[in-house]
Amino acid sequence: MTLGWKLDRSQREALLAAFPPRYARMVADHVTLSVSGTDLPEAITTAEIIGHVDDGMGVEAYVVAIDGSTSRPDGGTWHITWSLGENRAAKESNSAIAAHGWATVAPIPLLLTPAHW
């Protein structure tokens, strides 16, 4: 079971209208904490989009700061996979961030709810 935080549905729609996905397969749904486990993650105090990455080959993501940090416990970077091209997977977002870095954007507060799926 995947653990993390789901993006508020109303906010998701507003963000998608403001930042249309570049690639055909829209994700824009959640921030992942772990791909295994059963216990819901802790609620977070603050979350905000602070960066954007597009590898130009089918992976687009927004970098997220959770409680002031972009660093995930597994060494990756907190993010929301925004959109994907054909034959690309959401798990490739961290590789895109590592390979290409990310462009800073004006902070956008997020409404995230602990979830598993």
Side-chain angles (χ1 to χ4, degrees):
M1 186 171 295
T2 302
L3 306 174
W5 300 270
K6 289 284 190 170
L7 181 59
D8 176 82
R9 291 289 149 220
S10 297
Q11 185 179 37
R12 178 181 187 264
E13 297 308 316
L15 288 170
L16 286 167
F19 306 102
R22 177 166 181 203
Y23 302 105
R25 195 162 33 124
M26 181 175 49
V27 182
D29 181 63
H30 65 276
V31 176
T32 299
L33 170 62
S34 172
V35 294
S36 64
T38 56
D39 295 332
L40 284 176
E42 298 287 324
I44 51 179
T45 305
T46 61
E48 56 189 1
I49 290 174
I50 61 165
H52 179 257
V53 62
D54 181 346
D55 72 357
M57 298 176 291
V59 175
E60 178 187 28
Y62 281 95
V63 174
V64 174
I66 293 180
D67 293 336
S69 175
T70 59
S71 299
R72 287 192 338 194
D74 66 0
T77 301
W78 296 118
H79 65 275
I80 297 174
T81 299
W82 207 245
S83 68
L84 297 167
E86 190 174 333
N87 299 317
R88 300 302 301 267
K91 65 182 180 181
E92 295 178 79
S93 292
N94 256 314
S95 298
I97 293 166
H100 302 280
W102 43 278
T104 302
V105 300
I108 302 167
L110 294 175
L111 301 171
L112 299 176
T113 304
H116 51 72
W117 57 96

